[in-house]
Amino acid sequence: MTENRSDQIARGRPGEDPGPAPAPPDLRRIGAHPDFWYPVALSRSVRKEGVAAAVFAGERIALYRAQSGAVHALEDRCAHRQVPLSMGVVDGETLRCCYHAWAYRGDGRISQIPYLAKGDARPPRGVRAYPVREAYGLVFVFPGDPEKAAATPLPDVPAFASPRYRTMTFSRTVRCHYSFLHENLLDMNHQFLHRGVVGKLQPQLLGYESGPASVEARYLFTHTGGRRNRSASLLAAEGLGGQPSSDVMTIRTEYPYQTLDLVPEKADHPALRLWAVYVPEDAEQRVCHAYGLLMIEKPRIPAALSVAWPFIRHFTERVFAEDRMAVEAEQRAWDEQGEDRNHEVFSLILDVRDVLRANGVPL
């Protein structure tokens, strides 16, 4: 484990009084760093020869799938009259503005202006194109320095392709700064919020480790009473018989992504694995889009999971709705107070805040 906070503050020249530590910047004024791959749409929402509107931190993006099947991402404006290109139509490998039919290639360059005549004014070169890739059923864009895109790996989600798991995809808008969601998932002391769904759960922090860009925590979960949703038992791999177990949950923020693995008692691999990221939508980054891939282990009887699938979906949506209620309430308090007045006492959350500050960019 890394050195604790008091050690960090106390460091300095021998005999020198370091004085009070300066207040850290307000985390809710720190933006997501753009030099990473962020999903901005589900792959299925960008149909062949179709167009879809997306956004990252106030930057409007037009996604289109060319006749070849390749997806392209362009700045969502025509260089001519600024009409959104997401209103346009696909013509082979190009995207035509719906207004005057100016055609754009996937690199953002203008390939044709239908009525351009000799002697007309020199047209603009085009609009910004974003590096774009598809993986895990999602469309990722690289909103930062395009020169860094090729050397920056996509997030690694190995369980997605594993025959051992079946994946449930989530895509929801949440009206809060992305940092509230990082804190929510890492701080499992909030299980009282979910008491009507999961019963009485006793989380015990087994330990955690922090690094420059990551925080990882391990909890032991014990069900101590109360009515537990049947889907919660299935996700904990208690089986159809519902035998109680103690589960070890490992949660990791690896900037800017989060993962969660749940390993039931006496198991040697996770019964479920979650990958999540929170993509800011507006320029002030007070609204974000949560994308999640929940990979659930298939039981010995495959049909059992198919039968349970809609119930598991309903259960996870209920839990997420309660989390969203809480984090949106936190954001409203910040908006009303104009600053972060949180009095956090959990060192794990203080550390993840440091990670998010250090790796983000000031708004």
Side-chain angles (χ1 to χ4, degrees), residues 2 11 33 35:
T2 57
R11 284 200 313 269
H33 202 296
D35 286 342

Side-chain angles (χ1 to χ4, degrees), residues 64-295:
Y64 79 94
R65 192 179 297 277
Q67 190 176 52
S68 64
V71 175
H72 303 285
L74 305 180
E75 186 180 0
D76 195 7
R77 65 174 187 88
C78 179
H80 178 212
R81 298 283 188 90
Q82 312 305 305
V83 173
L85 288 175
S86 57
M87 297 169 59
V89 295
V90 176
D91 182 6
E93 298 301 302
T94 65
L95 176 61
R96 288 193 181 273
C97 177
C98 69
Y99 199 7
H100 291 83
W102 286 29
Y104 294 82
R105 293 192 294 262
D107 62 2
R109 297 290 184 90
I110 295 169
S111 65
Q112 186 195 32
I113 300 174
Y115 53 86
L116 189 66
K118 183 179 279 190
D120 286 347
R122 184 181 180 86
R125 298 182 69 181
V127 296
R128 177 183 178 184
Y130 294 83
V132 59
R133 294 178 67 180
E134 285 190 272
Y136 318 124
L138 303 170
V139 178
F140 288 80
V141 300
F142 196 87
D145 182 354
E147 298 296 323
K148 297 179 180 179
T152 304
L154 282 170
D156 187 23
V157 191
F160 182 86
S162 171
R164 171 173 275 172
Y165 297 95
R166 180 177 173 183
T167 301
M168 186 177 289
T169 301
F170 295 90
S171 170
R172 293 287 184 273
T173 296
V174 187
R175 305 192 68 80
C176 75
H177 189 266
Y178 62 89
S179 61
F180 288 116
L181 286 164
H182 277 271
E183 295 174 17
N184 172 266
L185 189 62
L186 265 171
D187 188 353
M188 281 293 156
N189 295 307
H190 77 273
Q191 293 309 307
F192 186 74
L193 176 67
H194 305 305
R195 61 195 179 278
V197 184
V198 299
K200 293 181 180 178
L201 282 181
Q202 182 62 47
Q204 176 188 350
L205 182 65
L206 300 177
Y208 76 92
E209 296 180 352
S210 300
S214 66
V215 177
E216 181 176 288
R218 292 186 304 114
Y219 292 89
L220 177 67
F221 273 82
T222 305
H223 184 230
T224 60
R227 186 175 179 180
R228 190 177 191 181
N229 184 283
R230 190 73 196 93
S231 296
S233 300
L234 289 171
L235 286 172
E238 294 178 3
L240 298 176
Q243 298 300 318
S245 68
S246 295
D247 310 317
V248 174
M249 183 178 289
T250 301
I251 309 165
R252 181 178 181 85
T253 287
E254 181 74 42
Y255 191 90
Y257 314 115
Q258 275 195 311
T259 59
L260 179 153
D261 287 347
L262 186 144
V263 180
E265 187 177 14
K266 299 179 181 179
D268 59 1
H269 58 270
L272 68 86
R273 311 190 76 173
L274 172 70
W275 175 88
V277 65
Y278 319 114
V279 183
E281 292 192 342
D282 58 319
E284 294 79 17
Q285 302 200 20
R286 297 182 189 179
V287 178
C288 65
H289 201 99
Y291 290 92
L293 302 171
L294 180 63
M295 291 145 285

Side-chain angles (χ1 to χ4, degrees), residues 46-58:
V46 189
R47 299 178 180 178
K48 188 172 182 179
E49 299 184 84
V51 192
V55 66
F56 176 85

